[in-house]
Amino acid sequence: MIERARVVVIGGGIGGCSILYWLARLGWTDVALVERSELTSGSTFHSAGLVGQLRNSLSLTQMMMNSVDLYRTLGDEVELETGWREVGSLRLASSQEHMEELERQAAWAETFGLPLHLISADEAQSMFPPMSSDGVFGAALLPSDGYVDPSQLTLALARGARQRGATILTNTRVTAIRVENNRVRAVETDQGTIECEYVVNAGGIYAHEIGLLAGVHVPLVPMAHQYAITKPTGLARDMPTLRDPARLVYFRAESGGLVVGGYERNPSVWGLGGIASDFNSRLLEPDWDRFAPLYEAAISRVPELAEAEIVTLINGPEAFTPDGEFILGESTVAGFWVAAGFCAHGIAGAGGMGRLMAEWIIDGQPSLDAWALDSRRFGPQYRSRDYTLVRTDEIYATYYDVKYPGHERQAGRPLKVSPANARHRDLGAAFGEKSGWERVNWYESNASAGDESTRPDGWAGMLWSPAIGAEHLACRANAALFDESSFAKLDVTGSGAAAFLERLCANGVARRVGAVTYTQLLNPRGGVECDLTVTRLAEDRFRIVTGTAFGNHDGAWIRQHLEDDSVAVEDVTSKYACFALWGPRARDILQPLTECDLSHEAFGYMSAKEVNVGAVPCLAVRVTFVGELGWELYCPSEYALRLWDSLMAAGQPHGMMPGGYRAIESLRLEKGYRVWGSDVTTTDSPFEAGLGFAVKMNKGEFIGRDALEAAGEPTRRLACLVLDEPRSLVLGSEPVRHEGRALGRVTSGGFGYSVESSIAYAYLPVELVEPGTRLSVGIFGRDVGAEVRAEPLFDPGNEKVRT
Ligand SMILES: Cc1cc2nc3c(=O)[nH]c(=O)nc-3n(C[C@H](O)[C@H](O)[C@H](O)COP(=O)(O)OP(=O)(O)OC[C@H]3O[C@@H](n4cnc5c(N)ncnc54)[C@H](O)[C@@H]3O)c2cc1C
């Protein structure tokens, strides 16, 4: 037993061992791992061991690629066989839509640097001889995928960590976690207490209960996952792994036989009421009834399975999360980190995940954009086990399904609604969901005013309505009213608030009372950590408004930098509804409702005032995310319905329409307004992202300033492209090619109904961002011509905004 360690990792599965290995490899050797039983006695020992790399974003894929890089060499490094077999993988398209999905994935892979090729059904069959090629449209081959022996790999990581000085304590159960002043101080075990600065909860399916020891909710659900192993029939061991998503199944070779697993439509939750304290090195009873439909589907792809003898049906619990991605990062308790919820990708992801976590702990930030995995993406609604469960259940049951862009999840809805929700329903709103909020995508009642001939080609036109264009054009011609009540709002107050925000923000925000400032908050590497507006409400009071999904994340970033109690941060999202009235007629609509002088001279752009709109007290903020004159009106929630009704009544004679988020998306693209998380991430600098206008380098010290200065002129920039075919729209991550070579990747795009163009944004080398440069964009296997354009495409002089 030891008395102290800088970091204590809880859990001796693949996750915990990889984090320990990487901490030690990166130089932190005063680290320990505690495991209540033996190493690899949790979910890890019964894993099927498939390692696939391609995910839907660069950073997730990069993490998987880092795993493979490690697995290739680890065995030699620590002199222990890991069972790594780089046999490649095949993913079949057994329907036209799956073939289109493969074409899309092949394009991503090209930009991620993965050697993925599309091959014919016959070629796939020759590589995996037992499969039937019936109904196969084609396949994707990724030669650097493979499989590994999960237990051996875990032991090799443990050995590598030990060789560098890390301590591993098995048969040591964590019974309590000591937290003082919201900072972790020690872990208590049945063998004694270990004082520490950091704790990493890598407890697999037990991570939820371990989290509760520190007062932290880890939203994951254990699900029973199954695969069968067949008796050897002489099949080659070096066949690639095989996935057939349309049949929900996967295969790999195993000692001359096959492993056959899959994702059932009827997932089986396990252990929600508590997991036995001795559930180690144990499996669940095989559930043949649940597995039978999968096995039948597997037979239809690999006919010889009908005659095969099944040696065993492995049924083991695995931690799944409400959005199907890992849960990584520091929790709300300082020093208490989580690395769990690997959703049946823990073996594939562990090598890269361990490195990401170790870098994040040591450097204070991850080297990749980890937003999709960041534990701060979940809101307080995930404290509910029931809500977490229904959301996770849907993710599992639809794991292999093709999701068209604009796909909306259904489970657990509606949860959070705007006070004007009933009005939206009456208007035929097509609702989307973000962070539990019901938000209007468009109003079907506006569809008849739209133009069906603008429906985009292919996937982009699937979940679409002519109403989107109608709402967009109404906003440009007259006005549109948008419900943005879901915006996250944070109040930063206190005598130290102004100085505190100046240190965090790249723009000058401690301006006159009433000033509104658009700013980024940078990390020490100069990457954009948050992108938001700050309104000074009083000398000692600031209102931050950020995206619906970012409140938790941005709030955590801001709180993390608090140094004393001269500053307080409060999330006031639910206190205020927000309606945005935008368009050239916005002033004509609003002025009769308020005594406040709305003229440009009296109420300038980027300023805010307390006003009454009829009987409703509002904070009116003159900003825009669509490039039109207008105001965001924030009122206490209890007044919101009245405000909505007043604005609708006042707007209709002026040709105003209610509008949804899909119209906003199209409007903002024409104006080149960036979206954090896609156009701008934690690894992009504001200068690369075209946001240099919001950085005040000479205002004095702020976080990230030194890094920006050291970086000098950017070598890549976010550029605006217009595609030659207006109906061909990008969906994200498509390759942007120059003379046939992929040199960039689409961050976001769509149709601009005013400029009548298909727009795409992508980071490109600076030598290619000159307007007029000819490029092409890979869309579903086709190269569509594109040209770099000066931005913004709409109203470049900003005259509509500043009138
Ligand atoms: C049937 C099945 C097939 C799978 N197939 C694949 C696959 O093909 N590819 C893939 O990538 N992934 C696959 N997975 C997923 C993979 O196995 C898991 O993601 C991974 O093993 C999880 O590792 P972990 O370290 O998070 O958890 P675990 O391996 O469960 O480790 C957690 C450890 O924490 C310990 N612990 C718990 N509480 C305490 C405490 N209080 N004190 C100390 N220690 C504690 C436990 O004893 C346990 O050993 C599969 C999973 C299943 C169930």
Side-chain angles (χ1 to χ4, degrees):
M1 194 56 194
I2 54 170
E3 286 177 1
R4 82 163 306 287
R6 193 166 192 186
V7 184
V8 174
V9 178
I10 306 173
I14 184 84
C17 288
S18 180
I19 295 165
L20 191 77
Y21 168 87
W22 277 104
L23 283 168
R25 181 165 157 175
L26 296 178
W28 279 24
T29 51
D30 178 15
V31 291
L33 181 147
V34 287
E35 162 56 49
R36 72 180 193 181
S37 176
E38 299 298 333
L39 293 182
T40 183
S41 61
S43 297
T44 300
F45 87 94
H46 48 68
S47 169
L50 275 74
V51 175
Q53 298 166 88
L54 183 63
R55 306 301 302 272
N56 63 7
S57 80
L58 172 65
S59 48
L60 297 186
T61 304
Q62 185 65 58
M63 187 175 75
M64 300 296 182
M65 291 164 76
N66 290 345
S67 290
V68 168
D69 282 348
L70 177 68
Y71 301 166
R72 278 191 189 123
T73 55
L74 183 68
D76 287 344
E77 180 197 314
V78 303
E79 297 178 349
L80 194 66
E81 178 54 46
T82 60
W84 170 244
R85 297 187 72 83
E86 199 160 323
V87 292
S89 71
L90 289 169
R91 194 178 181 94
L92 302 182
S94 300
S95 70
Q96 181 56 36
E97 62 172 2
H98 280 99
M99 191 62 219
E100 289 166 5
E101 187 181 45
L102 288 190
E103 282 166 355
R104 206 174 156 218
Q105 291 174 343
W108 299 344
E110 180 186 353
T111 74
F112 301 161
L114 271 180
L116 185 140
H117 320 287
L118 294 185
I119 60 173
S120 69
D122 289 344
E123 284 171 301
Q125 202 277 332
S126 69
M127 301 177 80
F128 196 95
M131 85 171 222
S132 141
S133 57
D134 281 0
V136 176
F137 286 68
L141 168 67
L142 185 41
S144 56
D145 278 352
Y147 65 91
V148 68
D149 179 325
S151 291
Q152 282 298 111
L153 177 64
T154 307
L155 296 177
L157 289 164
R159 180 181 280 188
R162 274 201 197 97
Q163 284 172 348
R164 292 180 166 86
T167 305
I168 295 180
L169 302 165
T170 53
N171 296 303
T172 305
R173 178 186 302 267
V174 173
T175 52
I177 294 169
R178 199 185 304 151
V179 176
E180 290 163 14
N181 296 329
N182 201 44
R183 169 159 276 289
V184 79
R185 299 286 173 199
V187 294
E188 293 175 13
T189 78
D190 54 5
Q191 308 295 319
T193 299
I194 310 174
E195 290 187 359
C196 56
E197 293 167 41
Y198 301 86
V199 172
V200 183
N201 173 4
I205 56 170
Y206 319 91
H208 176 70
E209 54 191 58
I210 294 171
L212 293 181
L213 297 177
V216 170
H217 286 263
V218 183
L220 53 79
V221 174
M223 296 276 188
H225 190 64
Q226 301 193 96
Y227 63 86
I229 304 176
T230 65
K231 197 169 171 190
T233 52
L235 290 173
R237 286 183 67 198
D238 56 359
M239 290 190 304
T241 61
L242 179 74
R243 292 175 181 82
D244 189 352
R247 286 176 170 69
L248 314 177
V249 289
Y250 59 78
F251 309 83
R252 77 162 169 81
E254 169 73 29
S255 313
L258 283 177
V259 161
V260 184
Y263 288 80
E264 308 88 336
R265 291 281 183 211
N266 52 338
S268 170
V269 181
W270 178 82
L272 262 199
I275 303 168
S277 60
D278 61 349
F279 192 85
N280 279 97
S281 304
R282 277 165 60 182
L283 291 168
L284 309 176
E285 282 299 308
D287 185 344
W288 287 102
D289 287 346
R290 198 159 53 83
F291 195 67
L294 283 184
Y295 201 69
E296 273 164 35
I299 290 171
S300 70
R301 177 55 64 216
V302 178
E304 68 178 54
L305 284 174
E307 308 302 325
E309 192 180 322
I310 295 181
V311 180
T312 179
L313 178 62
I314 301 281
N315 187 5
E318 159 69 343
F320 282 82
T321 66
D323 62 3
E325 298 295 355
F326 297 5
I327 303 176
L328 304 182
E330 195 171 16
S331 69
T332 45
V333 172
F336 186 76
W337 293 64
V338 181
F342 297 146
C343 306
H345 288 78
I347 308 302
M353 180 281 300
R355 175 169 157 188
L356 184 81
M357 282 289 291
E359 287 170 344
W360 200 344
I361 292 169
I362 293 171
D363 300 339
Q365 58 197 306
S367 56
L368 301 172
D369 166 29
W371 167 236
L373 311 166
D374 194 318
S375 60
R376 293 169 292 187
R377 70 192 186 276
F378 296 108
Q381 66 270 30
Y382 287 101
R383 284 184 210 146
S384 155
R385 291 297 268 164
D386 287 348
Y387 185 72
T388 305
L389 173 60
V390 292
R391 302 287 289 172
T392 308
D393 201 80
E394 184 184 24
I395 283 286
Y396 187 106
T398 60
Y399 172 73
Y400 270 135
D401 292 353
V402 171
K403 319 262 182 338
Y404 292 116
H407 167 84
E408 295 287 349
R409 298 183 52 201
Q410 298 306 324
R413 296 175 57 185
L415 181 65
K416 306 184 215 171
V417 297
S418 152
N421 186 58
R423 298 291 189 268
H424 304 326
R425 265 193 276 125
D426 292 348
L427 289 165
F431 286 103
E433 182 261 349
K434 191 156 234 168
S435 291
W437 279 91
E438 294 295 317
R439 309 192 319 169
V440 178
N441 280 337
W442 66 78
Y443 296 92
E444 211 38 58
S445 52
N446 292 331
S448 57
D451 179 357
E452 175 60 40
S453 74
T454 56
R455 181 181 289 275
D457 289 344
W459 284 27
M462 298 281 189
L463 301 169
W464 180 89
S465 164
I468 301 166
E471 292 164 14
H472 171 126
L473 294 172
C475 182
R476 292 270 187 252
N478 302 312
L481 184 63
F482 301 96
D483 187 340
E484 299 189 325
S485 299
S486 65
F487 270 171
K489 306 147 203 125
L490 302 164
D491 276 2
V492 180
T493 55
S495 58
F500 171 72
L501 285 175
E502 279 300 325
R503 196 167 62 77
L504 251 60
C505 297
N507 208 342
V509 296
R511 297 162 56 213
R512 67 187 155 75
V513 171
V516 182
T517 312
Y518 170 55
T519 186
Q520 285 74 46
L521 279 59
L522 308 182
N523 57 41
R525 290 190 186 134
V528 178
E529 202 66 39
C530 316
D531 176 86
L532 41 80
T533 59
V534 180
T535 300
R536 189 166 203 172
L537 300 177
E539 285 304 316
D540 59 353
R541 188 170 200 86
F542 296 81
R543 167 81 40 84
I544 286 178
V545 177
T546 185
T548 303
F550 307 143
N552 240 10
H553 170 274
D554 294 5
W557 179 261
I558 293 166
R559 286 190 188 93
Q560 178 183 329
H561 292 90
L562 290 174
E563 278 170 1
D564 54 46
D565 48 14
S566 70
V567 185
V569 180
E570 186 191 359
D571 188 325
V572 295
T573 303
S574 332
K575 277 193 189 169
Y576 303 103
C578 172
F579 303 128
L581 172 64
W582 283 318
R585 310 293 290 274
R587 187 175 284 124
D588 304 335
I589 295 167
L590 192 58
Q591 187 63 83
L593 301 178
T594 178
E595 288 108 49
C596 174
D597 181 355
L598 298 180
S599 67
H600 183 59
E601 295 67 35
F603 200 144
Y605 181 52
M606 296 306 275
S607 64
K609 287 184 184 186
E610 298 284 353
V611 304
N612 279 9
V613 178
V616 179
C618 294
L619 177 72
V621 184
R622 198 176 152 198
V623 287
T624 180
F625 196 55
V626 300
E628 296 291 339
L629 167 71
W631 286 264
E632 286 177 355
L633 298 165
Y634 294 83
C635 71
S637 299
E638 63 272 26
Y639 291 91
L641 198 53
R642 172 76 168 262
L643 180 61
W644 176 266
D645 288 343
S646 311
L647 292 168
M648 281 295 284
Q652 260 148 10
H654 294 271
M656 185 192 85
M657 259 189 195
Y661 273 87
R662 294 281 291 271
I664 293 180
E665 174 63 9
S666 159
L667 290 156
R668 74 98 194 162
L669 278 166
E670 293 182 341
K671 285 295 291 180
Y673 297 139
R674 277 50 170 156
V675 170
W676 189 81
S678 53
D679 300 322
V680 194
T681 72
T682 54
T683 52
D684 304 312
S685 90
F687 293 114
E688 292 170 332
L691 297 172
F693 66 89
V695 180
K696 295 271 173 301
M697 286 299 276
N698 53 7
K699 74 165 188 167
E701 273 311 302
F702 61 88
I703 298 173
R705 185 187 176 285
D706 294 347
L708 293 185
E709 202 161 60
E713 281 296 302
T715 56
R716 62 198 269 279
R717 278 184 201 278
L718 192 60
C720 175
L721 313 182
V722 168
L723 277 64
D724 294 349
E725 300 173 11
R727 297 275 87 77
S728 293
L729 301 192
V730 294
L731 306 174
S733 286
E734 289 84 354
V736 179
R737 301 190 180 104
H738 181 245
E739 295 172 352
R741 280 182 55 218
L743 296 176
R745 174 184 323 102
V746 170
T747 57
S748 71
F751 189 67
Y753 292 87
S754 299
V755 298
E756 297 183 341
S757 301
S758 169
I759 305 165
Y761 274 83
Y763 284 94
L764 293 172
V766 279
E767 45 299 355
L768 294 182
V769 301
E770 271 308 300
T773 306
R774 291 295 302 170
L775 301 161
S776 67
V777 181
I779 299 184
F780 289 101
R782 280 190 327 117
D783 241 358
V784 178
E787 188 169 297
V788 177
R789 292 283 177 83
E791 60 168 330
L793 297 173
F794 184 80
D795 187 24
N798 245 357
E799 277 145 33
K800 289 179 153 270
V801 176
R802 296 172 193 276
T803 51

